[in-house]
Amino acid sequence: MENYIKKSHLVNFIVLTAVIFRCVNEALVDSSYLLLILLCFLGPRAIILSIFLLWLFYSLNSPLFPDQGYMYGFVRFIIIFLALILSFDLLPKNIIKRNFKVYFWLLIFVLFVFLQSFFNSPFIEVSILKILTWCSLFVLLMNCWSKIDKEEFYMLTKDLFFFFLLITISSLFLVNSHYGYVQNYALFQGILHHPQLFAIVMSLFSLMIITGFPYKLHLNIVNFLITIVALYLLFLSNGRTGILSLFLALNIYFLINPTFDHFRKKYTNTSKFIYFFLLSTLPFLIILIFQMNNILNIQFIQDVITKSGNTNEKLLIDAYLESRGQIFFSSFDNIINNFWSGIGFGIGSNLETFIVLRDPFFGIPYFGAVEKGLIFVAILEEIGIFGLIVFMVFILSCFFNLCESGFKSLPLFSLIIILNFGESTFFSTGGVGSLLLIFFTLSISKKIIKPI
C-alpha cells in the first residue's frame, strides 16, 4: 500500500512538473515532453495521463504559451510505441478474451489497410505509419482502461475532470481578451489553438458533467455552475459540430438512460432499438428545427448556422456547404474515380496540396495532416467500399462491446461518433483525435467498475 501511494505521488509530481515546464518557459518545453516519456513507466493511469498531456501540450494557444518545440513530432511516436509495449505488462489474459471481438475486427481492419496501402497508396510509408500509430494508440488505451484497478480509475477520471475544469475556468478569463479570439475575432478559442477544437472539448466536458460519466462532483450547485460556464463558452465558440453533437448526444442520454439494466450493468435490447431509431431520426429533427427557424428567427440558432455572421447563408445545409463544401466535393470526386480501391489511407484529397514532413536523418514521415468531413465518406474515399464495410463492422463490434461494458457510456460513445460526422478526427493521433480516442476506448472497454 505504501509503494502504491508513493507511485501515485510520483505520478502527480511528474505531471505537475511537466505542465509547469510546458507553460512557463520555452527553454523547458522539450523537457516537458521527456517527462511524458517517463510517465509511461509508471502504470496505466500514468500512461493515459501522458497521452492526454501530449494532446494538451500540442493544443495550447501559442500567443499565450511558449512554442510547442521541435521535439513534439518525434516524441509523439516514442510515447505511443513505448506505451504500447508497457501496456502489455501484467495484462491478464481474460482482458483480451473479454474484448476479443473488438481486437479481432481491429486486426482485420488494420490488415486490410496494410494490403490496400501497398497496392493503392501513393505514399505507402505515410499510410502504413498512420495506421500503425493509430492502432498502437487504440490498443494501448484499451489495455490500460481494461486493467486499471478501482483506485487508479477513480484517481484518473478525477484528474481528467479537473484538467477539463482548468481549461474551462482559465478560458473564461479570456472572454474579453483578444487572446481568446486569435484565429477569428468572432469565434472564441479560449486557451486552445482553434475555436473548432475548443468547441469539441467543451462539448465533451459538458456531456461529462451532465451525465456524470466518467466522473462527477457530488455538489449539485457546483456541477450546475460549471455546466453553465462550459455551455456558455461552447456557444461563444460557435462550433456547429460541437454544439449539434452535444445536442444529439444529450437526447440519446435522456431517452436511453432509463432503459439501462442496473442489475446486470448493461444496456438492454430495448436500449439498442431506441438507439438505432434515434440515429435515424434525430438528424431530421435537427434539420426541422433549423428550417423552422426561418419562421421563428431565433437569433441564437441563426448564429449557430452562420457562425455569428462568418457565412452569409441562412440555411444549415447551405452554410455547411459554404464552409466544408470544397472538402466534400473533392472527396466525392475521388470516390467516383476510386470507388473500389480508394486513394490511400490517411492521404489528402488533393495530392498537390498534401504536405508530408520527414525527419532529416531517416526520411520517416512524421507529419501529413488531412482535413476531411464525414468519417464514413473519408473512409470510403481512402480505402474504398470494402474498407468502409470492414470499418463499419469494427464500429459495430465496439458498440456491442459497449452495451455489455458495465458503464452508462453510450452518450459518450455517441458524442464521439457524431463529432466525426462534422469533422473526421477518428484516426488523428496528433490532434484532437487522440483526446477523443481516450474516451472512446473508455466507453467500450469491458471493465465492471461502478462510476462515481
Side-chain angles (χ1 to χ4, degrees):
M1 183 66 179
E2 184 178 347
N3 289 335
Y4 178 88
I5 294 174
K6 286 182 178 178
K7 188 175 81 168
S8 175
H9 289 168
L10 178 60
V11 170
N12 293 340
F13 175 76
I14 294 175
V15 167
L16 179 60
T17 305
V19 171
I20 293 173
F21 281 8
R22 173 64 181 89
C23 295
V24 301
N25 194 308
E26 189 169 349
L28 296 173
V29 170
D30 291 338
S31 299
S32 71
Y33 289 118
L34 296 178
L35 290 174
L36 297 189
I37 296 176
L38 182 59
L39 280 176
C40 295
F41 293 93
L42 298 175
R45 172 185 170 232
I47 288 175
I48 295 176
L49 281 174
S50 178
I51 299 298
F52 178 86
L53 291 175
L54 187 64
W55 160 78
L56 181 60
F57 289 178
Y58 170 77
S59 303
L60 291 175
N61 191 335
S62 54
L64 286 172
F65 300 95
D67 186 76
Q68 64 178 339
Y70 72 91
M71 284 190 63
Y72 168 78
F74 307 101
V75 169
R76 174 166 64 95
F77 295 106
I78 295 174
I79 289 176
I80 290 175
F81 291 121
L82 175 63
L84 172 67
I85 297 171
L86 295 172
S87 71
F88 282 97
D89 181 44
L90 302 177
L91 182 70
K93 293 181 180 179
N94 66 334
I95 285 179
I96 303 294
K97 185 177 180 180
R98 284 204 306 264
N99 299 294
F100 176 76
K101 290 182 180 179
V102 172
Y103 285 118
F104 174 78
W105 284 107
L106 174 66
L107 177 62
I108 296 299
F109 176 70
V110 172
L111 288 176
F112 182 92
V113 173
F114 258 84
L115 292 173
Q116 191 270 353
S117 298
F118 277 112
F119 288 104
N120 293 300
S121 177
F123 296 93
I124 297 175
E125 69 282 13
V126 172
S127 296
I128 294 297
L129 185 58
K130 280 192 174 186
I131 192 60
L132 275 180
T133 307
W134 176 81
C135 177
S136 299
L137 182 58
F138 186 96
V139 171
L140 77 87
L141 288 171
M142 284 289 291
N143 289 349
C144 289
W145 282 122
S146 299
K147 75 174 184 178
I148 195 170
D149 62 38
K150 184 176 181 179
E151 289 76 14
E152 280 198 313
F153 177 84
Y154 290 147
M155 290 175 63
L156 175 58
T157 54
K158 184 178 180 180
D159 293 335
L160 296 177
F161 181 92
F162 279 100
F163 268 114
F164 277 111
L165 183 60
L166 181 62
I167 293 170
T168 303
I169 299 303
S170 55
S171 294
L172 184 62
F173 289 100
L174 298 178
V175 169
N176 293 317
S177 168
H178 71 277
Y179 288 111
Y181 301 85
V182 176
Q183 289 290 328
N184 188 301
Y185 73 93
L187 307 179
F188 186 69
Q189 66 187 77
I191 67 166
L192 302 181
H193 63 55
H194 200 282
Q196 184 78 344
L197 168 64
F198 186 77
I200 290 174
V201 172
M202 286 300 101
S203 66
L204 185 60
F205 187 40
S206 298
L207 187 75
M208 185 188 303
I209 305 168
I210 295 170
T211 63
F213 180 82
Y215 180 86
K216 71 176 289 187
L217 294 172
H218 291 295
L219 297 174
N220 291 332
I221 183 63
V222 176
N223 270 315
F224 176 75
L225 292 175
I226 296 173
T227 305
I228 295 300
V229 172
L231 291 175
Y232 170 64
L233 296 180
L234 171 61
F235 295 146
L236 280 184
S237 74
N238 277 165
R240 287 192 297 252
T241 299
I243 293 171
L244 296 180
S245 298
L246 177 62
F247 175 81
L248 292 174
L250 286 177
N251 273 276
I252 289 171
Y253 168 69
F254 291 122
L255 292 172
I256 294 276
N257 191 50
T259 68
F260 184 82
D261 189 329
H262 294 272
F263 180 74
R264 292 187 296 169
K265 302 295 182 186
K266 61 191 296 187
Y267 286 100
T268 64
N269 289 331
T270 302
S271 306
K272 298 170 189 175
F273 172 80
I274 294 174
Y275 183 69
F276 285 111
F277 176 77
L278 290 173
L279 286 183
S280 62
T281 58
L282 282 177
F284 295 102
L285 176 61
I286 290 286
I287 294 172
L288 178 63
I289 291 173
F290 282 102
Q291 288 294 107
M292 288 179 61
N293 194 57
N294 292 329
I295 301 173
L296 301 175
N297 199 27
I298 298 174
Q299 186 60 42
F300 165 71
I301 296 179
Q302 201 59 43
D303 285 344
V304 172
I305 296 176
T306 65
K307 288 193 173 183
S308 296
N310 279 269
T311 174
N312 296 320
E313 301 296 342
K314 302 299 182 183
L315 300 179
L316 182 63
I317 186 64
D318 292 335
Y320 175 82
L321 289 176
E322 181 176 314
S323 62
R324 313 287 293 180
Q326 185 58 47
I327 297 173
F328 176 80
F329 291 125
S330 295
S331 295
F332 185 74
D333 289 340
N334 285 328
I335 290 171
I336 294 297
N337 297 322
N338 305 275
F339 181 76
W340 301 104
S341 61
I343 65 170
F345 182 79
I347 303 302
S349 299
N350 187 344
L351 291 182
E352 294 180 0
T353 58
F354 180 54
I355 299 174
V356 177
L357 300 182
R358 303 174 186 270
D359 80 89
F361 301 105
F362 303 103
I364 298 174
Y366 64 88
F367 177 87
V370 296
E371 183 180 3
K372 298 186 180 181
L374 179 62
I375 179 66
F376 298 110
V377 173
I379 291 295
L380 179 59
E381 176 193 12
E382 293 180 6
I383 55 177
I385 184 61
F386 296 115
L388 175 62
I389 292 171
V390 175
F391 175 73
M392 292 181 70
V393 175
F394 165 69
I395 292 296
L396 280 175
S397 71
C398 292
F399 170 74
F400 289 118
N401 219 58
L402 175 150
C403 290
E404 299 177 354
S405 66
F407 290 136
K408 292 183 179 180
S409 55
L410 190 54
L412 182 62
F413 174 91
S414 303
L415 176 70
I416 294 168
I417 294 296
I418 297 168
L419 283 169
N420 276 274
F421 284 5
E423 183 169 356
S424 179
T425 60
F426 193 76
F427 294 102
S428 169
T429 59
V432 71
S434 59
L435 171 68
L436 296 181
L437 201 57
I438 291 174
F439 291 94
F440 184 84
T441 49
L442 165 62
S443 71
I444 67 172
S445 59
K446 282 188 179 178
K447 184 170 186 62
I448 311 301
I449 290 181
K450 184 180 179 181
I452 293 178

